[in-house]
Amino acid sequence: MSDQDSISTFTYTNRAQLTRQSPFKILQFFFAYRLLIASLLAMVYFSKIGPTILGQYNPSLFGTTSVIYLGFVIAGGLLLNLLPRMSMQNQAMIMVFTDIVLITILMHASGGIQSGLGMLLAVAIAVGSLTMQGVTALLVAAIASLAILTQQIYTQFYIDVSVTAYTQAGLLGASFFAIAILAHVLSQRLRESERLVSQRDFDLANLEQLNEYIIRNMLTGILVVDDEQKIRLINESAWHLLGMPDANPETPLNQTSPELAQQVGNWRTDPDFHPNNFRAVPNGRELKPGFSRLGTEEKFGAVIFLEDAATITQQAQQIKLASLGRLTASIAHEVRNPLGAISHAAQLLGESPEMADTDKRLLGIVETNCTRVNSIIENVLQLSRRSRSRPEDIKLKPWLEKFISEFQLTQELETGNIQLLIDPEQTIVRVDPSQLHQIVSNLCENAVIHYKEEKSTLRLNLTGGMTRESGGPFLDIIDNGTGIGSDDLKQIFEPFFTTVNSGTGLGLYIAKELCESNRLRLEYLTTPSGGACFRISFPSFRSDMPQPDE
């Protein structure tokens, strides 16, 4: 079920529960009242400790009716609890009409209107007006009034009563209508108030679920810790950025990320503390933390925001590329024209039959350097003209298999020169395929260019996949060359730095720039074998990652 379906189901269920809640409670109180009245009438009558007016004209009828009334009350309570899906209005009608009939008979057996038992119907009429809609409430009052008048007419013929009893019956019937009208108006106002309350409860519940959905799916990592630095909440992004730790509620933050816990402690001590970027795992992504206070007490919690530093770098990269584009356009215009003239003049000089050999060697140097400068301009223009990355979800292993087959043909390599190992094989990465092709191609070409032995002995290992420590998919490109010297490591990603005279020094720089524009991280790792290892770290692809324990 999707999150939208879950919210819709939650909405419908809670609205239905709120709609049924108030009438059900009223009927529960009414059942308790009826059970009390029926029990008292039966107990007082059969114990002979009550007033003599109860059943004074027909004791056997009163006793039988009181027992029947108690039985109907108990049955009504069972019906209310065992059949909750039955309409509340139908159950209320059954209870109210049972009271009207049986209380009227008890009143008749006790001497009629003078017994005062007719007032017990007032509560039944009020409950009926509160739970029933429209004219049904007035219908209950009318039936109760007719029952009182019918009983009084019947009593007039068989029992000697005063004429004033008709006035009392009429006033009691009028009071029934007044109670019904007032209770009905009150019920309408109560329903309106209940509707507003339920609507607000429903809106708050939906807002809570919406907030939870947003926090769970946002790219920024969110952690909430209490004053003891115990985790109260961690969203999926934070869990992935921290290297998928065993982080559950009540887990101390220092067990999940000791460095982050230390920075939170420094921030609590010094509110002006500026957090530093860190890595939760040795080969994980660089994270930028941010803190916000929760509460105003001396002991307060904190909301921790974690952002992938590659995202910030990507934004800076877009600004840098825009400036670079304008700069390179000017360079291309100002340099290419004189460069073309020099190259053309060199070609014309080379056609001269009277040129000495020493001059031809000098001319060759001119042509070689013209070609090199033109290559540099082409590479810089290629970088500045590059379109914005369009990331796609691609399966890493099939994509690399296709790349390797093409690369072997263009570089004239044998099948055994390149080895591929991806674990798990279904690893999915999100990246612009064309830009990933250029990145991997530049790195592999670097390995081929700098390899000093025979091509047949070259070994390129493309190893990747996903581990718990990596915090997301990765790809290592490892060769069996001599590696990169420690003196050159700090400069390998700088533009125009090269250790080969024929190189432009832009291959690794362009690869680094392309990685940053795709939120990837490119870094050089040392290997025990001594060869070069370049690692490409991809943003985590959540649908393929193991999920945290619920």
Side-chain angles (χ1 to χ4, degrees):
M1 183 182 293
S2 66
D3 293 292
Q4 291 82 358
D5 293 338
S6 300
I7 292 176
S8 299
T9 303
F10 174 86
T11 299
Y12 175 79
T13 303
N14 282 271
R15 186 185 289 274
Q17 289 177 350
L18 290 169
T19 303
R20 293 171 52 86
Q21 188 176 8
S22 182
F24 184 73
K25 285 186 176 181
I26 293 174
L27 292 184
Q28 281 183 321
F29 284 121
F30 186 41
F31 163 72
Y33 162 78
R34 296 173 73 225
L35 182 62
L36 177 64
I37 294 298
S39 301
L40 286 175
L41 289 174
M43 181 183 68
V44 169
Y45 174 77
F46 287 107
S47 64
K48 304 299 183 182
I49 62 174
T52 57
I53 194 173
L54 296 180
Q56 62 176 331
Y57 290 106
N58 195 335
S60 60
L61 177 62
F62 188 93
T64 303
T65 304
S66 63
V67 172
I68 294 174
Y69 183 39
L70 181 60
F72 269 99
V73 170
I74 295 173
L78 294 175
L79 184 68
L80 181 64
N81 289 280
L82 296 179
L83 295 176
R85 294 185 179 181
M86 185 176 178
S87 170
M88 294 293 106
Q89 186 168 343
N90 291 339
Q91 295 202 40
M93 290 180 66
I94 293 173
M95 292 181 182
V96 172
F97 286 124
T98 300
D99 278 19
I100 291 174
V101 173
L102 294 181
I103 290 177
T104 301
I105 295 174
L106 291 174
M107 183 179 64
H108 171 73
S110 300
I113 194 73
Q114 292 89 347
S115 65
L117 295 179
M119 291 303 299
L120 296 177
L121 294 176
V123 176
I125 293 169
V127 170
S129 300
L130 288 173
T131 55
M132 299 177 190
Q133 298 179 355
V135 297
T136 309
L138 297 177
L139 177 63
V140 171
I143 293 175
S145 300
L146 288 175
I148 294 295
L149 290 174
T150 301
Q151 184 278 144
Q152 184 61 35
I153 293 173
Y154 179 81
T155 303
Q156 183 70 35
F157 285 102
Y158 293 96
I159 302 174
D160 186 18
V161 294
S162 62
V163 179
T164 56
Y166 284 106
T167 304
Q168 295 176 6
L171 292 174
L172 185 59
S175 66
F176 289 165
F177 276 98
I179 291 171
I181 293 172
L182 291 175
H184 181 63
V185 172
L186 177 62
S187 69
Q188 285 183 325
R189 293 186 178 181
L190 286 175
R191 286 192 184 96
E192 182 63 23
S193 300
E194 183 185 71
R195 188 189 66 79
L196 292 175
V197 171
S198 64
Q199 180 65 37
R200 287 170 183 169
D201 288 343
F202 153 73
D203 292 339
L204 288 174
N206 269 0
L207 182 61
E208 181 180 356
Q209 278 217 342
L210 180 61
N211 289 339
E212 182 182 351
Y213 175 80
I214 293 172
I215 291 174
R216 188 173 66 248
N217 291 277
M218 66 190 305
L219 293 177
T220 301
I222 301 291
L223 288 93
V224 177
V225 296
D226 58 17
D227 59 306
E228 297 179 353
Q229 288 200 22
K230 291 183 178 179
I231 295 176
R232 295 298 182 183
L233 181 146
I234 177 171
N235 71 345
E236 191 175 345
S237 293
W239 184 74
H240 283 290
L241 291 172
L242 291 175
M244 297 176 286
D246 296 326
N248 298 308
E250 300 295 331
T251 301
L253 182 60
N254 59 3
Q255 292 183 12
T256 302
S257 177
E259 186 170 354
L260 179 60
Q262 183 179 359
Q263 294 205 40
V264 173
N266 294 338
W267 169 74
R268 285 176 179 274
T269 306
D270 179 13
D272 296 327
F273 172 75
H274 294 287
N276 303 315
N277 292 1
F278 73 101
R279 292 188 181 182
V281 292
N283 294 323
R285 306 185 71 80
E286 188 176 0
L287 306 179
K288 178 179 176 59
F291 311 121
S292 179
R293 181 182 177 125
L294 273 182
T296 57
E297 298 81 3
E298 183 177 350
K299 294 183 177 180
F300 57 90
V303 180
I304 304 172
F305 303 92
L306 295 177
E307 290 187 282
D308 188 347
T311 304
I312 302 173
T313 305
Q314 181 188 24
Q315 296 171 354
Q317 176 71 4
Q318 297 298 331
I319 299 173
K320 182 169 63 175
L321 287 177
S323 301
L324 183 61
R326 291 191 293 269
L327 175 63
T328 52
S330 300
I331 292 175
H333 178 72
E334 297 297 332
V335 175
R336 266 191 159 179
N337 289 337
L339 182 64
I342 294 171
S343 178
H344 184 64
Q347 291 176 6
L348 293 176
L349 282 174
E351 296 175 359
S352 175
E354 300 178 355
M355 181 173 291
D357 292 339
T358 55
D359 293 337
K360 288 183 178 180
R361 285 195 299 270
L362 293 175
L363 191 59
I365 294 174
V366 172
E367 291 179 343
T368 300
N369 283 277
C370 284
T371 303
R372 185 179 178 187
V373 172
N374 186 66
S375 177
I376 292 173
I377 294 174
E378 288 289 343
N379 286 332
V380 173
L381 286 175
Q382 181 185 12
L383 180 63
S384 63
R385 290 172 180 170
R386 189 184 67 248
S387 59
R388 183 181 295 271
S389 61
R390 294 179 174 82
E392 299 177 10
D393 301 332
I394 60 175
K395 289 187 177 180
L396 188 58
K397 185 176 181 180
W399 187 91
L400 285 173
E401 288 174 344
K402 183 179 179 181
F403 168 80
I404 290 172
S405 63
E406 295 175 356
F407 187 77
Q408 286 175 336
L409 289 175
T410 56
Q411 296 293 327
E412 299 180 352
L413 298 175
E414 299 177 359
T415 305
N417 288 128
I418 302 179
Q419 301 294 329
L420 176 64
L421 176 62
I422 302 297
D423 184 28
E425 294 186 354
Q426 298 301 319
T427 300
I428 295 177
V429 297
R430 185 167 184 81
V431 66
D432 187 317
S434 63
Q435 295 184 4
L436 178 62
H437 186 282
Q438 188 174 357
I439 295 169
V440 179
S441 179
N442 281 4
L443 296 175
C444 291
E445 286 177 2
N446 252 15
V448 174
I449 292 171
H450 290 82
Y451 190 67
K452 300 177 182 179
E453 307 294 334
E454 293 292 330
K455 275 191 177 182
S456 59
T457 61
L458 172 65
R459 294 293 179 268
L460 270 176
N461 293 322
L462 273 61
T463 306
M466 192 158 34
T467 64
R468 193 176 185 88
E469 292 75 19
S470 66
F474 70 96
L475 174 64
D476 289 343
I477 300 175
I478 309 170
D479 62 42
N480 61 338
T482 58
I484 299 176
S486 57
D487 296 336
D488 298 332
L489 283 178
K490 296 181 180 180
Q491 308 176 67
I492 58 174
F493 294 114
E494 293 182 3
F496 307 112
F497 174 77
T498 180
T499 58
V500 180
N501 293 332
S502 60
T504 62
L506 290 173
L508 289 179
Y509 173 73
I510 291 174
K512 182 80 169 177
E513 296 292 307
L514 289 171
C515 284
E516 291 177 352
S517 67
N518 282 270
R519 293 183 59 221
L520 313 181
R521 186 175 76 251
L522 177 63
E523 56 187 338
Y524 178 82
L525 305 178
T526 57
T527 61
S529 60
C533 174
F534 288 93
R535 168 166 291 187
I536 303 171
S537 299
F538 299 86
S540 60
F541 189 77
R542 297 178 191 163
S543 60
D544 249 21
M545 300 286 283
Q547 297 301 312
D549 298 331
E550 296 295 337

